[in-house]
Amino acid sequence: MKNGEVFSWQHGNRFHLSVDGPQFFPRILQRIDEAERSVDIELYLVEDGLCAERVIASLVAAAERGVQVRCLFDGFGCLKLGQRSRQRLRDAGVDLRQYNPLRLRLKFRNLHRDHRKLILIDDTWCFVGGAGVTDEFWNPQQPENHWHEVMVEVSGPLVADWRRLFETQWAQCLKRRVWQMPLPQRLPKIPARPDVRDGAGRVAYAAARQHRDILYSLLRQLRRAERRIFLATPYFLPTGRVRRELMRAARRGVEVRLLLTSRNTDHPSIRYAGQRYYPRLLRAGVRIFEYRPHFVHLKMVLVDDWVSVGSCNFDHWNLRWNLEANLEAVDAQLSAAVAHSFECDFEQSREIDLQRWHARPLRQRMYQRLWGLLDRLVINIFNRSG
C-alpha cells in the first residue's frame, strides 16, 4: 500500500449489519470455525473473560487444523489479556503482534494507538465495526448486559482492500517507530460517491495526523446532505469542522440527529466535556438524543443513503493519535438497516432540547465547565507542541 493511498469504491459487495454482541459474535465465531486458509484480526480492546475465552478457543481450533491465524492487538488495549491466554494462542501456532507496546521512554508517543476493529476470514469474509473482545460487548452467560455496538459483515471485492490495509499495518508493527509514517505530499483526493444504489463499498482510514481521508470524506458528505444526517458516537468531542457542517446542514433544512451517551458511559468526563457544544448545536436546529438502555459505543453515520461505520469517533483525540478504519457504503439494504437501527435507538433515548438544557442542575453545569476547560487546555497544548 503506497504512502497516503486513498482506496477507491468497489462494486458488487454484500453487507450484513448485526446489532449488539449477542448477534454478531456468534456470526464471527461461525466464520472462524469455517475458515480454511487464514484468519487475521486487528483489534484495540482484548481482555480476559468469557468472550475472550470463546474467541480464543475458536482461534486455537483454527490454528490446530492448519489455518494461518494472525492477531494484531493494540499494546494498551490488550493489557488485560493475561499471559496464560497469550501463551495458549502461541502454543497453537497463532502469530501475535502488538502495536506500540507501552514504554516509559516513549512519553507522549504512548498515546499513539491502533483503534481499528477488523476481522478477516480467508479472502471471503470481513467484519468491520467498533467492538472489542471483552465481556462488555458480549457475555455468553449474561447476554442481556452489553455495550450497544454494531459490526458489518462484508463479502465481495472490497475484502481485498481490507486485507491490504491489514497487511500494511502488520508489517509496520515491526518498525521501531511504528507511529511515524511518511507524510503524503498532498491532501488525499476522495473518490466521488458512486451513482448506484447497491453493493458499493470503500475502505476509509486514518493514520493519526499523517492521513485523514476518513475525516475529509465525512465532511464532504455532510456538505452535500439533502435529507438526513444521523450520527452516533460514544465520545462526543467533534472537530470544529464537523460541528460547523452539522449546524450548516441543520440550518438549510436537513434533519440532523445525534445519538450520544447518557449516564451509561465508561468515561463521564468526556461526556461532560462534549456537552459544552450542545447549546450552539441545539440553537442551529440539531436534535440531540442520549441513549438510555446501555452504553452506546457504536460509531455510525447515515447521510441520506451513504453509510459510514467502524472505529472512528471523529473527535480531535482519535484523529490526532489513532489508527482508525471505517466502512463506507452505498447500498439500499444496508442503509435501510442502519436507518432502522437509528430509529429504534432514538425511541429509547432522552431528547435534550434547550428547555431541558437550561434546567440542568448546578452540579452538572460545574462538571461540564470543568471538563470542558480541561479538554480545551490539553488539546491547545498539543496543538502548539505539534
Side-chain angles (χ1 to χ4, degrees):
M1 204 173 92
K2 296 178 181 179
N3 173 41
E5 179 179 353
V6 174
F7 288 97
S8 59
W9 288 90
Q10 301 286 356
H11 300 272
N13 303 285
R14 299 185 66 181
F15 309 101
H16 182 273
L17 180 76
S18 293
V19 180
D20 293 330
Q23 282 193 26
F24 55 71
F25 268 109
R27 291 184 71 95
I28 292 171
L29 293 174
Q30 179 184 352
R31 296 301 184 194
I32 294 174
D33 293 341
E34 295 171 351
E36 299 178 353
R37 297 179 302 280
S38 64
V39 175
D40 296 308
I41 297 179
E42 183 175 355
L43 289 175
Y44 176 65
L45 276 179
V46 186
E47 300 177 356
D48 282 338
L50 295 175
C51 179
E53 181 67 25
R54 293 283 186 93
V55 173
I56 289 172
S58 288
L59 294 176
V60 167
E64 289 177 343
R65 67 175 183 268
V67 176
Q68 180 191 56
V69 181
R70 298 181 294 177
C71 295
L72 172 55
F73 298 150
D74 179 76
F76 176 78
C78 72
L79 284 177
K80 294 183 181 179
L81 182 68
Q83 289 302 318
R84 182 179 177 183
S85 298
R86 299 174 194 231
Q87 195 59 48
R88 184 182 175 192
L89 289 165
R90 292 192 185 99
D91 290 345
V94 175
D95 197 352
L96 293 178
R97 291 184 186 175
Q98 288 189 50
Y99 177 85
N100 200 24
L102 297 180
R103 297 183 179 92
L104 287 175
R105 63 178 176 79
L106 293 180
K107 300 180 181 178
F108 287 125
R109 300 295 185 183
N110 284 305
L111 294 174
H112 288 277
R113 307 275 39 115
D114 184 349
H115 198 240
R116 295 170 183 167
K117 289 87 174 178
L118 173 61
I119 301 173
L120 289 152
I121 294 95
D122 296 332
D123 289 312
T124 309
W125 305 101
C126 175
F127 289 87
V128 183
V133 177
T134 76
D135 285 0
E136 282 82 8
F137 292 103
W138 181 51
N139 185 333
Q141 293 184 358
Q142 297 178 322
E144 69 282 356
N145 296 326
H146 54 76
W147 288 357
H148 187 36
E149 187 52 90
V150 299
M151 295 289 282
V152 180
E153 184 178 11
V154 183
S155 62
L158 187 59
V159 175
D161 286 348
W162 283 110
R163 176 161 296 284
R164 289 174 63 203
L165 186 70
F166 174 86
E167 295 289 352
T168 298
Q169 199 54 48
W170 180 258
Q172 181 76 11
C173 275
L174 296 178
K175 298 182 180 180
R176 184 177 179 183
R177 299 171 70 87
V178 295
W179 61 84
Q180 193 171 52
M181 299 176 65
L183 288 170
Q185 295 181 353
R186 55 188 175 184
L187 292 177
K189 184 177 180 181
I190 309 300
R193 170 178 165 169
D195 188 19
V196 297
R197 281 184 52 81
D198 296 301
R202 190 178 84 86
V203 175
Y205 70 102
R209 301 181 73 181
Q210 288 88 5
H211 184 93
R212 294 183 177 180
D213 92 280
I214 197 170
L215 173 63
Y216 302 136
S217 182
L218 172 69
L219 290 171
R220 184 165 71 174
Q221 296 303 323
L222 296 180
R223 294 186 193 109
R224 299 181 179 183
E226 297 178 352
R227 295 183 291 111
R228 63 185 175 188
I229 296 172
F230 296 166
L231 186 150
T233 178
Y235 310 116
F236 186 64
L237 293 173
T239 67
R241 283 182 290 180
V242 171
R243 296 198 307 273
R244 288 191 291 271
E245 293 302 335
L246 290 172
M247 291 187 288
R248 287 169 182 163
R251 289 182 183 124
R252 67 174 183 265
V254 177
E255 181 185 16
V256 181
R257 300 192 202 178
L258 305 180
L259 181 68
L260 309 178
T261 57
S262 64
R263 294 180 181 178
N264 294 319
T265 175
D266 63 338
H267 291 298
S269 58
I270 296 178
R271 175 177 177 245
Y272 287 127
Q275 286 180 332
R276 72 183 188 271
Y277 301 126
Y278 281 16
R280 289 192 64 194
L281 290 164
L282 291 169
R283 285 194 290 268
V286 175
R287 298 177 67 185
I288 299 174
F289 296 81
E290 293 187 342
Y291 186 72
R292 307 186 81 171
H294 308 284
F295 172 38
V296 57
H297 190 263
L298 58 89
K299 310 95 165 49
M300 188 162 66
V301 187
L302 178 65
V303 181
D304 296 335
D305 294 321
W306 175 90
V307 171
S308 178
V309 59
S311 69
C312 188
N313 293 302
F314 295 107
D315 66 274
H316 49 237
W317 289 101
N318 267 171
L319 295 166
R320 170 176 286 274
W321 301 108
N322 291 353
L323 302 178
E324 304 285 357
N326 274 32
L327 163 72
E328 294 183 359
V330 179
D331 181 84
Q333 185 174 358
L334 178 62
S335 63
V338 168
H340 177 72
S341 176
F342 268 115
E343 293 292 353
C344 291
D345 291 345
F346 291 141
E347 290 178 1
Q348 300 179 78
S349 301
R350 178 173 182 255
E351 184 170 4
I352 306 298
D353 55 23
L354 282 171
Q355 181 179 1
R356 181 167 281 166
W357 172 257
H358 291 310
R360 70 197 189 281
L362 177 62
R363 177 182 295 183
Q364 186 176 349
R365 295 169 187 254
M366 294 173 60
Y367 287 153
Q368 289 159 354
R369 179 64 61 88
L370 171 64
W371 291 111
L373 287 173
L374 285 174
D375 175 67
R376 187 160 47 217
L377 173 65
V378 173
I379 201 64
N380 285 341
I381 291 172
F382 282 126
N383 283 338
R384 287 196 297 268
S385 63

